[in-house]
């Protein structure tokens, strides 16, 4: 919805407003500034001022390495100072494109201003096209030729920033298993479309996590908008994965704005979602208004079907639809009419406490939980992690230590699946 | 592995199946379905220990399918498994002509069928002549569920107190709870998110414990049970229930059920996980509404547009940096006392019902919450004798 041409921008009170910032009329310049400000707010860990000032020129990651073994995680400059390595998960969709563009341009400006960047970066694209559903492409680009073009565009544009292209990875989802044919067999054994997509999402995350571990990345950055995070929050809730929300959505729901750069190689990489304050349509708008010719490398996903799915209050969903599609359709309507409600979902999920070290973290309950757990009292149940998704699971619902544990959500995903899937996953 | 014969009941393997269970997709014959349904509720009751032997429990009865099935199942289970508890029916007459008067006739028949005492507490008597018909006449349909919810909650508490009961069971089913989980996520109500999936809720602002034995029962199965058991229930929705916030969550749940039938239960399970992940974070932002046995348990919640406006205003306040400190200070200062006008538990000078009544009475002479003249129904059922001194004692105890 664009404002009347007679209105002036509410922020600068000068230029004519051609767009909106939520409900306020805004000019393109103020709108672009608003978007970048919202993104930069979440990039605090990568500011050069959070690192010791060196005055030395940054050495690109892996620059010295000619051996095939993985390079050290943290780039170390001559005087021993380090910068965190950041892995960008790129879906080739418009939101991801904004994320990559903003982050890498910011990094270039860091080099210009401070003579060195605040972080090193790699880009990973998971090719899961074969396993997406017909109606909801798991990547923005579904056409093979177009997809190849997108990959070429990413390489061409960002190779210089990613260690001469060495830190750009295109991984087929099949590679999550040693035998590429194995994945297809597993996916086909699932009982319904939702479970298939659930498994694909889970394995995609697993593949990215594995690469991040191999590369000893400190952060994984996702280009999920508020809209997508709200969809995921309600979608995961509907799949019985409520307990896993903090671990699956990571810092999207746990504020990372005050965090310092992590340089430890022992800890797991943290997941960051710098677009979590921005709606999907705002990011699409940003692409359209961007003066530096930021064009999405791919066409926008078809949103027509998803929207139709939840039009009005008439129930139109069928067994062949997926929960993800339904949520997409629902939040498309909500995003247009009630953006504050949508943001509120992500904010609310962010207030859920996580379980760390097996016990409830936050709300001052750690000690209570621990003590009651030791005594075996009710309410003191110990939490542990699901073998498949890494989400929380009650230890007493799981098998003995050392054996596989499955959370409620993963059990539901496998409901009705053919025999042998559990072992195959 | 031999697959079960689809022409035979999946459990007894002898009779012809007449039900495809929405919850498990099993094909069952009538007796096996009824038994499976009852057994699951029994397991819920036993595993959560909601009843205590010797306890007297009120069933919040509206005459609708949920509360009728609840009364029928609880009577059956109490006899079958000897819980040693006594059930009575407690109904609220909101004063909605063409809806509640008809449904109350059903409740009266239920009381006779199940041989249970019945007490009906009316808004008209309790709130100085204000029935919901009159409230809607004054304020319109918009937001009327807020009045109804606050009034009902207090009416249920007062009714239970009059019966000397500390425990009320309501007919909230799995669909209702799943809707509430989504609704609370959407409106960001963490205190409610913390407890909406609990089977038993005890509030600091109410002396009465409330339980939901049908928590894991699908709405569709409740309808099937009522149908196959030929239960006498009233099926009209509340005529004042607007297209509310809950309506949006409800449509979402219905779609989810079509995609994956287990979704309803999965949302409830996620809600239970959220309870553990939120900790005890104080009272909800507003008084409870829609709880406590409304015939249409789906009412309440206001509209999406109203919620959007509320959130935008909240964002503005937070931006100004005032809200957090003020809210935190206010929460710390909350102290439970009695309403200076009617004696009901409240943390303010006036309880929420009296505040709402004040608003309604602006244009008419002031009335207060009254306890005199509460209706008692005795149609062939054990009589509930209530003398005025007892009523006043009960009021003082609330």
């Amino acid at each position: 919805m664009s404002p009347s041409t007679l209105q002036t921008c509410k922020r600068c009170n000068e230029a004519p407003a051609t767009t909106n910032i939520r409900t306020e009329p805004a000019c393109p310049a103020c709108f672009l500034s608003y978007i970048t400000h919202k993104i930069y707010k979440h990039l605090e860990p990568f500011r050069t001022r959070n690192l010791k000032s060196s005055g030395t020129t940054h050495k690109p990651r892996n620059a010295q390495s000619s051996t095939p073994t993985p390079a050290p995680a943290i780039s170390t400059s001559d005087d021993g100072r380090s910068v965190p390595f950041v892995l960008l998960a790129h879906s080739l969709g418009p939101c991801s494109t904004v994320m990559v563009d903003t982050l890498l341009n910011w990094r270039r400006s860091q080099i210009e201003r401070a003579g060195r960047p605040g972080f090193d970066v790699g880009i990973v694209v998971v090719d899961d096209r074969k396993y997406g559903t017909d109606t909801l492409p798991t990547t923005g680009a579904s056409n093979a030729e177009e997809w190849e073009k997108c990959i070429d565009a990413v390489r061409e544009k960002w190779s210089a920033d990613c260690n001469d292209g060495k830190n750009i990875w295109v991984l087929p989802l099949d590679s999550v298993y040693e035998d590429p044919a194995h994945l297809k067999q597993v996916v086909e054994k699932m009982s319904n479309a939702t479970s298939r997509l659930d498994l694909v999402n889970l394995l995609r995350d697993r593949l990215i996590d594995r690469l991040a571990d191999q590369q000893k990345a400190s952060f994984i950055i996702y280009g999920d908008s508020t809209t997508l995070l709200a969809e995921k929050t309600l979608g995961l809730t509907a799949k019985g994965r409520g307990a896993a929300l903090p671990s699956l959505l990571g810092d999207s729901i746990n504020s990372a704005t005050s965090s310092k750069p992590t340089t430890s190689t022992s800890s797991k990489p943290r997941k960051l979602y710098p677009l979590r304050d921005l709606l999907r349509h705002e990011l699409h708008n940003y692409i359209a208004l961007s003066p530096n010719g930021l064009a999405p490398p791919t066409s926008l996903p078809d949103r027509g079907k998803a929207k139709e799915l939840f039009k009005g209050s008439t129930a139109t969903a069928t067994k062949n639809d997926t929960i993800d599609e339904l949520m997409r359709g629902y939040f498309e309507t909500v995003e247009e009419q009630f953006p504050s409600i949508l943001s509120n979902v992500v904010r609310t999920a962010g207030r859920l406490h996580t379980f760390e070290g097996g016990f409830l973290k936050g709300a001052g309950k750690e000690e209570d939980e621990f003590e009651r757990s030791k005594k075996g009292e009710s309410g003191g149940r110990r939490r542990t992690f699901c073998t498949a998704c890494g989400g929380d699971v009650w230890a007493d619902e799981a098998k003995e230590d050392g054996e596989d544990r499955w959370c409620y959500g993963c059990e539901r995903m496998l409901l009705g699946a053919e025999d042998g899937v559990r072992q195959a996953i | 592995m031999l697959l079960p014969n689809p022409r035979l009941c999946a459990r007894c393997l002898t009779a012809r199946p007449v039900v495809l269970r929405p919850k498990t997709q099993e094909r069952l014959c009538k007796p096996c379905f009824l038994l499976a349904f009852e057994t699951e509720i029994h397991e819920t009751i036993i595993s959560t220990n909601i009843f205590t032997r010797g306890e007297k429990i009120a069933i919040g009865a509206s005459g609708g399918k949920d509360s009728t099935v609840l009364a029928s199942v609880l009577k059956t289970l109490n006899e079958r498994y000897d819980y040693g508890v006594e059930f009575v029916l407690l109904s609220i007459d909101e004063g909605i002509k063409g809806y509640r008067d008809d449904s109350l006739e059903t409740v009266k028949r239920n009381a006779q069928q199940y041989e249970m005492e019945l007490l009906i507490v009316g808004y008209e008597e309790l709130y100085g002549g204000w029935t919901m018909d009159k409230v809607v006449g004054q304020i319109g349909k918009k937001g009327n569920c807020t009045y109804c919810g606050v009034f009902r909650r207090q009416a249920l508490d007062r009714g239970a107190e009059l019966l000397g009961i500390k425990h009320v069971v309501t007919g909230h089913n799995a669909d209702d709870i799943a809707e509430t989980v989504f609704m609370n996520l959407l409106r960001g109500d963490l205190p409610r998110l913390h407890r909406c999936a609990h089977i038993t809720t005890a509030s600091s602002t109410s002396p009465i414990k409330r339980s939901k034995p049908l928590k894991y029962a699908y709405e569709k199965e409740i309808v099937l049970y009522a149908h196959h058991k030929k239960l006498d229930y009233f099926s009209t929705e509340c005529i004042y229930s607007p297209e509310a916030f809950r309506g949006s969550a409800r449509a979402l749940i219905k779609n989810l059920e079509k995609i994956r039938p287990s979704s309803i239960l999965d949302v409830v399970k996620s809600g239970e996980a959220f309870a553990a992940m939120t900790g005890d974070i104080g009272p909800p932002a507003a008084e409870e509404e829609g709880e406590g046995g409304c015939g249409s348990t789906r009412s309440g919640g206001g509209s999406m547009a109203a919620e959007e406006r509320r959130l935008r205003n909240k964002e503005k306040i937070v931006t100004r940096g005032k809200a957090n400190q003020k809210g935190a200070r206010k929460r710390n200062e909350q102290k439970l006392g009695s309403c200076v006008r009617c004696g009901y538990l409240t943390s303010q000078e006036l309880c929420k019902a009296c505040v709402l009544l004040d608003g309604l009475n602006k244009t008419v002479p002031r009335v207060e919450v009254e306890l005199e003249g509460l209706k008692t129904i005795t149609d062939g059922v054990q009589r509930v004798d209530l003398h005025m001194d007892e009523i006043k004692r009960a009021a003082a105890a609330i």
Side-chain angles (χ1 to χ4, degrees):
Chain A
M1 186 176 62
S2 59
S4 156
T5 47
L6 295 172
Q7 283 182 297
T8 50
C9 173
K10 280 264 183 183
R11 301 224 161 184
C12 64
N13 285 322
E14 287 173 6
T18 56
T19 185
N20 280 322
I21 296 176
R22 299 292 156 101
T23 51
E24 272 183 12
C27 65
C30 288
F31 177 79
L32 293 173
S33 155
Y34 163 79
I35 299 286
T36 45
H37 172 75
K38 285 280 182 189
I39 300 175
Y40 290 160
K41 204 175 81 177
H42 297 291
L43 300 180
E44 196 67 25
F46 314 125
R47 288 191 185 278
T48 45
R49 68 169 179 235
N50 284 333
L51 304 166
K52 288 178 192 171
S53 70
S54 66
T56 55
T57 308
H58 168 72
K59 281 183 181 175
R61 188 169 177 276
N62 293 354
Q64 304 285 324
S65 173
S66 56
T67 58
T69 50
I74 308 303
S75 302
T76 307
S77 55
D78 290 340
D79 57 359
R81 294 178 190 96
S82 58
V83 290
F85 180 63
V86 173
L87 186 63
L88 266 164
H90 194 358
S91 71
L92 303 182
C95 297
S96 263
T97 304
V98 173
M99 186 64 251
V100 173
D101 195 88
T102 314
L103 190 74
L104 294 188
N105 278 325
W106 189 55
R107 186 175 179 272
R108 284 177 183 180
S109 72
Q110 280 184 330
I111 297 171
E112 272 175 33
R113 282 195 325 268
R116 64 197 175 92
F119 57 99
D120 267 348
V121 70
I123 298 173
V124 58
V125 179
V126 177
D127 181 3
D128 55 2
R129 288 169 294 160
K130 275 190 276 180
Y131 302 98
T133 66
D134 294 338
T135 50
L136 186 75
T138 48
T139 60
S142 46
N143 179 289
E145 198 180 323
E146 197 185 349
W147 199 84
E148 291 299 335
K149 271 189 201 166
C150 297
I151 294 292
D152 290 344
V154 170
R155 284 192 196 281
E156 192 184 328
K157 198 168 181 184
W158 305 118
S159 280
D161 303 86
C162 300
N163 194 19
D164 293 331
K166 290 191 192 87
N167 290 352
I168 296 178
W169 296 275
V170 179
L171 305 176
L173 188 62
D174 310 292
S175 64
V176 72
Y177 296 118
E178 280 180 19
D179 175 12
H182 185 72
L183 178 61
K184 197 161 188 291
Q185 293 163 5
V186 174
V187 170
E188 280 172 358
K189 284 181 178 174
M190 305 307 283
S191 63
N192 56 60
T194 295
S195 296
R196 274 193 291 277
L197 193 57
D198 204 15
L199 180 65
V200 167
N201 289 339
L202 195 145
L203 294 178
R204 191 195 307 117
D205 283 353
R206 187 187 287 182
L207 196 61
I208 293 170
D209 286 350
R210 193 186 294 168
L211 178 70
D213 276 343
Q214 278 170 5
Q215 299 300 321
K216 300 192 178 66
S218 307
F219 295 91
I220 305 173
I221 290 192
Y222 290 90
D224 293 8
S225 61
T226 307
T227 317
L228 182 56
L229 289 170
E231 285 168 25
K232 283 186 175 177
T233 300
L234 256 62
L236 290 169
T237 302
K239 291 172 193 168
R241 295 191 182 278
L245 275 181
S247 54
L248 292 181
L249 296 185
D251 282 328
S252 69
I253 57 171
N254 293 307
S255 176
T257 49
S258 61
S259 59
K260 297 285 178 193
T262 306
T263 53
S264 163
T265 52
S266 59
S267 62
K268 283 198 160 192
R270 289 178 55 194
K271 294 178 181 178
L272 292 186
Y273 297 76
L275 306 186
R276 64 186 171 147
D277 291 335
L278 295 163
L279 304 174
R280 183 181 285 135
H281 77 79
E282 288 176 331
L283 292 163
H284 289 179
N285 208 6
Y286 177 80
I287 289 171
L289 293 173
S290 186
N292 61 358
L294 169 65
T298 172
S299 58
L300 306 184
D302 176 24
R303 311 197 306 166
K305 167 90 194 256
K307 195 160 188 170
E308 199 60 38
L309 192 62
F310 197 79
K311 215 170 184 177
S313 57
T314 45
T316 52
T318 66
K319 256 186 178 177
N320 296 326
D321 295 314
T322 64
I323 290 175
D324 303 63
E325 283 174 293
L326 177 69
M327 291 304 169
R328 170 165 282 222
Y330 178 74
F331 279 109
E332 240 170 60
T333 318
V334 174
E335 183 191 51
E336 282 169 12
Q337 296 170 15
F338 314 112
S340 297
I341 289 181
L342 195 142
S343 307
N344 204 37
V345 173
V346 180
R347 216 170 21 242
T348 306
R351 293 172 69 194
L352 298 171
H353 297 293
T354 53
F355 293 87
E356 283 179 18
F359 298 98
L360 184 68
K361 183 87 179 166
K365 289 182 79 179
E366 299 95 313
E367 198 177 332
D368 267 12
E369 291 277 311
F370 180 69
E371 288 304 321
R372 281 182 292 168
S373 163
K374 278 200 297 190
K375 292 174 194 163
E377 288 173 12
S378 150
R381 301 159 75 194
R382 194 174 183 279
R383 308 284 293 196
T384 183
F385 301 104
C386 170
T387 307
C389 72
D392 290 305
V393 57
W394 292 115
D396 55 1
E397 280 175 6
K399 295 174 186 175
E400 292 298 312
D401 277 349
E403 288 189 48
D404 284 351
R405 298 179 177 89
W406 297 80
C407 68
Y408 180 83
C410 285
E411 290 285 1
R412 281 304 195 183
M413 179 180 76
L414 297 175
L415 197 72
E418 289 177 32
D419 293 341
V421 169
R422 197 177 292 261
Q423 293 74 26
I425 289 174
Chain B
M1 192 179 78
L2 272 176
L3 289 171
N5 185 345
R7 293 185 178 198
L8 294 176
C9 168
R11 296 215 173 182
C12 65
L13 303 173
T14 51
R16 191 174 65 85
V18 293
V19 173
L20 174 65
R21 276 196 80 181
K23 195 173 181 177
T24 57
Q25 303 297 302
E26 281 178 303
R27 290 176 193 280
L28 299 180
C29 65
K30 186 174 138 185
C32 284
F33 167 69
L34 295 178
L35 184 65
F37 183 85
E38 288 161 0
T39 306
E40 280 180 13
I41 293 165
H42 169 65
E43 281 164 5
T44 305
I45 291 167
I46 294 303
S47 63
T48 51
N49 269 328
I50 54 174
F51 297 153
T52 312
R53 184 167 280 279
E55 197 179 13
K56 193 174 177 185
I57 297 161
I59 299 172
S62 65
K65 61 180 187 330
D66 298 316
S67 57
T68 305
V69 166
L70 181 65
S72 168
V73 170
L74 288 183
K75 180 181 163 62
T76 306
L77 294 178
N78 197 21
E79 287 165 2
R80 186 183 298 160
Y81 297 105
D82 187 26
Y83 295 152
V85 293
E86 183 189 347
F87 292 111
V88 297
L89 297 176
L90 175 57
S91 286
I92 308 298
D93 181 3
E94 296 95 344
I96 305 174
K97 284 209 163 56
Y99 165 64
R100 187 53 87 212
D101 45 358
D102 291 343
S103 71
L104 284 177
E105 289 307 313
T106 314
V107 179
K108 288 174 200 170
R109 290 196 299 274
N110 288 160
Q112 288 178 321
Q113 289 154 3
Y114 305 136
E115 295 171 336
M116 290 178 188
E117 277 180 28
L118 166 67
L119 171 69
I120 299 178
V121 181
Y123 283 6
E124 190 169 15
E125 295 78 21
L126 197 58
Y127 302 114
W130 282 104
T131 61
M132 278 313 291
D133 283 338
K134 287 181 185 168
V135 171
V136 171
Q138 173 104 337
I139 63 156
K141 278 190 180 182
K142 211 172 171 184
N144 81 85
C145 288
T146 304
Y147 286 80
C148 195
V150 171
F151 287 172
R152 187 185 319 108
R153 180 176 166 77
Q154 192 174 126
L156 260 182
D157 282 356
R158 290 194 185 277
E161 202 70 44
L162 289 170
L163 291 166
I165 284 172
K166 293 281 181 196
H167 190 179
V168 177
V169 288
T170 56
H172 291 90
N173 57 45
D175 297 49
D176 297 330
I177 293 169
E179 284 164 19
T180 312
V181 169
F182 272 172
M183 238 173 73
N184 290 332
L185 268 176
L186 288 166
R187 65 181 176 190
D189 196 331
L190 224 54
R192 278 196 184 130
L193 192 61
H194 171 69
R195 60 167 189 262
C196 68
H198 282 196
I199 191 157
T200 299
T201 48
S203 162
S204 60
T205 55
S206 167
I208 311 296
K209 182 171 86 170
R210 288 149 198 259
S211 304
K212 306 164 205 162
L214 301 184
K215 179 188 168 182
Y216 297 116
Y218 277 31
E219 188 179 35
K220 279 184 180 171
E221 297 203 353
I222 287 171
V223 175
L224 283 170
Y225 184 87
H227 170 74
H228 287 293
K229 208 113 197 259
K230 293 187 173 57
L231 297 183
D232 180 7
Y233 70 93
F234 184 76
S235 57
T236 307
E237 292 269 325
C238 174
I239 55 173
Y240 295 142
S241 177
E243 183 59 30
F245 203 154
R246 188 178 280 273
S248 165
R250 188 186 186 195
L252 194 57
I253 291 291
K254 293 296 167 205
N255 269 328
L256 275 173
E257 193 185 5
K258 288 192 173 183
I259 292 172
R260 193 155 88 171
S262 71
S263 287
I264 293 175
L265 211 53
D266 297 345
V267 177
V268 175
K269 287 283 180 185
S270 289
E272 288 174 351
F274 293 152
M277 294 156 78
T278 48
D280 194 4
I281 43 179
E287 292 279 342
E288 294 286 352
E289 59 192 48
E291 246 189 47
C294 172
S296 166
T297 46
R298 282 149 219 95
S299 64
S303 70
M304 293 281 275
E307 189 60 25
E308 175 72 14
R309 275 197 302 277
R310 185 185 71 81
L311 288 169
R312 269 187 208 162
N313 288 335
K314 197 175 161 193
E315 277 166 19
K316 279 180 193 164
I317 295 168
V318 171
T319 313
R320 287 185 213 130
K322 290 177 185 171
N324 287 342
Q325 292 171 349
K326 205 173 173 184
R329 200 164 52 238
K330 204 173 174 185
R331 188 172 293 168
N332 290 339
E333 285 167 4
Q334 266 193 355
K335 226 176 187 179
L336 208 60
S338 299
C339 172
V340 293
R341 196 172 294 163
C342 72
Y344 188 72
L345 277 176
T346 179
S347 56
Q348 308 294 321
E349 192 181 345
L350 289 179
C351 70
K352 187 83 178 168
C354 286
V355 171
L356 291 177
L357 278 176
D358 273 357
L360 290 170
N361 290 330
K362 269 181 185 165
T363 52
V364 292
R366 210 189 83 172
V367 293
E368 295 173 2
V369 176
E370 287 175 10
L371 292 168
E372 293 189 17
L374 286 178
K375 257 195 273 183
T376 59
I377 300 298
T378 58
D379 297 351
V381 193
Q382 189 186 338
R383 187 181 176 87
V384 182
D385 282 316
L386 298 167
H387 302 291
M388 286 321 295
D389 54 338
E390 283 177 339
I391 291 172
K392 285 187 177 160
R393 266 207 307 277
I398 292 175

